Amino acid sequence: MAPSSSAGVSSSSGTTSIATRLDSFVNALESATVFDLQGRCLGTLQVELLCGPGAARNALESALRAKFKTPGAYLVRLGRTLQRVNVN
């Protein structure tokens, strides 16, 4: 008697669908404009963003730390949002 195929999907037959949204794992390369707290433009950054909770802020802090060696507070415009990022 042949085993029932309704018990599960084996790796050697059929296809398996993944129920996770793929766009949550996609990297995006964004251009961000950096300002000091007086509103002077300091330059732009290319930031690689990995979507997820807190990932964007960590990527911004790392990119700011690499480009601007001076610790402090920066204003970063990324798309339509403006946020204050502290760099230690």
Side-chain angles (χ1 to χ4, degrees):
M1 189 185 276
S4 172
S5 64
S6 64
V9 176
S10 69
S11 62
S12 62
S13 66
T15 59
T16 305
S17 67
I18 300 173
T20 306
R21 290 183 47 188
L22 292 178
D23 62 348
S24 64
F25 297 105
V26 174
N27 287 339
L29 191 61
E30 294 279 339
S31 180
T33 308
V34 181
F35 301 91
D36 64 9
L37 293 182
Q38 284 74 39
R40 291 183 293 245
C41 182
L42 301 176
T44 59
L45 293 173
Q46 291 293 322
V47 182
E48 185 177 1
L49 299 178
L50 178 63
C51 299
R57 181 166 289 277
N58 291 338
L60 283 173
E61 288 176 9
S62 297
L64 280 169
R65 194 176 302 116
K67 183 163 183 174
F68 304 103
K69 306 296 185 199
T70 307
Y74 297 91
L75 297 174
V76 179
R77 185 174 62 207
L78 187 60
R80 291 184 169 186
T81 62
L82 183 70
Q83 51 186 305
R84 181 179 170 171
V85 180
N86 295 321
V87 176
N88 298 326

